[in-house]
Amino acid sequence: MGNDALSAEVDLSHVDYHAVQQSPEFQELRRTHRSFVFPVLAACLVWYLAYVLLAVYAVDFMSTRVFGSINVAMLLGLAQVVTTFAVTMWYVRWANTHLDPKAEQIRDEIESGVFFDKADEGVAR
């Protein structure tokens, strides 16, 4: 979807990228992206800081054995890694359904000449 190569025939040297950035479609794309990324980033940072703070200030709790030589700290550390992969997969799936269609629409508009610089109107494409 979002990884399709640009057509070799499309000359993008005349695109008014400022106009693209100011377009309502691009602003909506940014808003959609930020509405997912910032809350998830905040949650992940809180989760990571909680782990670090527990490791520093709750040593007795973190060293509690769960089974064998496995303690709470090891399980929470492993959960950090699992969380990283889970959030990555979640973001990829979410981006494929929410961001990529909007980005593809903007790219199609750019390639069709909607955002070509008005000063370059007379330039052959």
Side-chain angles (χ1 to χ4, degrees):
M1 211 182 245
N3 292 331
D4 296 336
L6 288 173
S7 172
E9 301 91 38
V10 178
D11 178 17
L12 299 178
S13 63
H14 304 291
V15 175
D16 182 0
Y17 288 104
H18 183 71
V20 173
Q21 190 177 24
Q22 299 303 318
S23 70
E25 296 88 0
F26 187 82
Q27 295 299 318
E28 174 63 23
L29 178 66
R30 285 180 56 183
R31 209 172 11 261
T32 304
H33 178 259
R34 290 177 176 177
S35 72
F36 181 90
V37 170
F38 289 158
V40 172
L41 174 63
C44 288
L45 286 175
V46 167
W47 167 222
Y48 174 74
L49 289 175
Y51 176 74
V52 171
L53 291 173
L54 284 171
V56 172
Y57 295 109
V59 176
D60 291 337
F61 169 70
M62 295 294 270
S63 61
T64 303
R65 291 183 184 262
V66 178
F67 54 89
S69 61
I70 306 297
N71 60 20
V72 172
M74 294 173 93
L75 292 178
L76 291 179
L78 181 61
Q80 287 283 326
V81 174
V82 171
T83 300
T84 301
F85 284 103
V87 167
T88 301
M89 290 187 310
W90 182 25
Y91 175 76
V92 168
R93 178 173 288 144
W94 182 85
N96 284 340
T97 58
H98 292 87
L99 296 180
D100 287 354
K102 293 176 183 181
E104 188 172 346
Q105 175 191 1
I106 293 169
R107 189 178 103 191
D108 290 344
E109 290 177 1
I110 290 170
E111 288 181 343
S112 69
V114 171
F115 292 107
F116 280 171
D117 200 355
K118 299 301 181 213
D120 295 329
E121 285 287 323
V123 177
R125 294 180 217 358

